[in-house]
Amino acid sequence: MLSVLDLAGSDARTTEDIFTGESQSMPLGRVYGGQVLAQSIIAAERTIPEGRTVHSMHGYFLRPGDSAKGITFAVDRIHDGRSFSTRRTQAFQEGVPIFSMIASFQDEDPGIEHQASMPDGVPRPDDLPDIEAHLKGLHPMSKRLFTDRPVDLRHVPSPIYLSVEGDRAPSQAVWMKVRRPIPDDPAIHRAALAYLSDLTIQESILRAHGIPWAMRGLKVASLDHAMWWHRFGRVDEWMLYVQESPSARGGRGLATGRVYAEDGTLLASVAQEIMVRIPQGDPLA
């Protein structure tokens, strides 16, 4: 994860700043959306005046990327004001855009403050089984898709990889953190939080209809992604990702999420719309 977030600068110049990056190897060959989100934020942040940090981003996934190929990031310095800077980052493969994002950065300013409270009664991460406990019976190669990831996830009530247990409710919570300590650089932690934000947010939509990821013929694709960073938090410490889906219709579902530090501090808010298609004639249709 850290290696793909370490973008290279380029001697090539247009009217935009150019950076290049690599992709994590993915079993199905498609670039993981959270990766290109995080890389786009890193690219934009490298053009920002010192002291300004990202507070929001809005992006669209345009095409599935190829994880075997490199990615070029072009950053347009749209505006630098007295307190805010705005950047547009587009990610390209073979000259074709696969992702487009606008992000805003701000100086640290004093002001009014409040936050939504973290839900009560959520089991602590150490009281929940790790991912391997939910993968019994899977082929060892299939297990590696989950255990080789750089992120530790603990679902409440349980994952929906193979089946959906409990009530078919449009909500869930997930404890998450990266598996090993990472450098103290706040920019890396902010980008890594974007990386994590795309991992499970779609599941509140699927859980509402009893649809596991393993359903044969299921097709899910992220359409867009929005994120707001409220406060700094370390991604190598446990965070609670509270997720819910207010609506699904027309082959699309909307999911929203809030990310809390373990002490209850609200770190970020997230929203994503996905395309979701299930096989025709399936009893869940």
Side-chain angles (χ1 to χ4, degrees):
M1 183 189 73
L2 291 179
S3 64
V4 300
L5 295 184
D6 187 18
L7 302 183
S10 174
D11 292 333
R13 281 293 179 270
T14 62
T15 56
E16 301 174 333
D17 297 88
I18 306 297
F19 303 91
T20 58
E22 301 299 323
S23 290
Q24 288 179 280
S25 177
M26 298 297 288
L28 299 179
R30 296 177 61 165
V31 172
Y32 164 54
Q35 172 204 301
V36 74
L37 280 172
Q39 289 173 315
S40 296
I41 291 162
I42 289 285
E45 194 148 30
R46 292 206 180 163
T47 72
I48 294 295
E50 185 175 354
R52 291 187 181 177
T53 59
V54 64
H55 69 87
S56 69
M57 63 78 57
H58 302 261
Y60 281 88
F61 298 97
L62 305 175
R63 296 174 176 85
D66 185 342
S67 63
K69 299 176 181 177
I71 306 176
T72 299
F73 299 88
V75 181
D76 183 1
R77 303 188 184 208
I78 294 176
H79 178 68
D80 285 307
R82 287 194 293 180
S83 298
F84 290 86
S85 293
T86 307
R87 297 291 186 266
R88 181 182 66 220
T89 304
Q90 294 208 94
F92 295 87
Q93 283 191 320
E94 299 185 326
V96 177
I98 63 171
F99 178 73
S100 183
M101 175 197 84
I102 289 183
S104 182
F105 299 76
Q106 183 192 12
D107 294 332
E108 183 66 29
D109 287 332
I112 59 174
E113 184 165 337
H114 71 271
Q115 70 157 74
S117 300
M118 188 166 75
D120 294 325
V122 178
R124 311 306 291 181
D126 292 339
D127 296 329
L128 296 167
D130 63 23
I131 190 63
E132 291 197 47
H134 298 284
L135 303 177
K136 294 177 181 178
L138 274 186
H139 188 278
M141 291 300 292
S142 297
K143 283 186 179 181
R144 287 186 60 187
L145 302 180
F146 301 95
T147 58
D148 284 359
R149 291 189 302 195
V151 183
D152 192 351
L153 301 175
R154 309 284 173 92
H155 282 70
V156 183
S158 60
I160 63 168
Y161 303 132
L162 305 178
S163 62
V164 180
E165 302 173 3
D167 296 337
R168 294 186 177 184
S171 60
Q172 67 173 18
V174 182
W175 288 101
M176 62 183 184
K177 70 180 180 73
V178 297
R179 293 183 182 274
R180 292 189 293 273
I182 66 174
D184 293 334
D185 184 355
I188 295 296
H189 285 268
R190 287 189 292 268
L193 185 54
Y195 179 103
L196 270 62
S197 72
D198 187 43
L199 271 176
T200 58
I201 191 169
Q202 311 89 352
E203 293 177 352
S204 58
I205 300 165
L206 303 181
R207 186 180 293 278
H209 300 274
I211 301 172
W213 286 111
M215 173 182 280
R216 183 169 297 178
L218 174 67
K219 295 183 179 180
V220 174
S222 301
L223 299 175
D224 61 4
H225 194 95
M227 186 167 178
W228 298 263
W229 289 257
H230 307 307
R231 299 165 183 86
F232 174 74
R234 296 188 64 94
V235 298
D236 50 9
E237 298 176 353
W238 283 115
M239 300 172 291
L240 182 66
Y241 199 178
V242 180
Q243 304 160 353
E244 63 180 0
S245 173
S247 176
R249 183 185 180 277
R252 303 186 317 276
L254 177 65
T256 63
R258 300 191 305 274
V259 182
Y260 294 91
E262 193 169 9
D263 66 2
T265 301
L266 180 61
L267 304 180
S269 299
V270 183
Q272 184 179 103
E273 189 172 45
I274 66 169
M275 178 206 77
V276 55
R277 295 174 179 161
I278 62 175
Q280 292 297 315
D282 191 276
L284 292 173

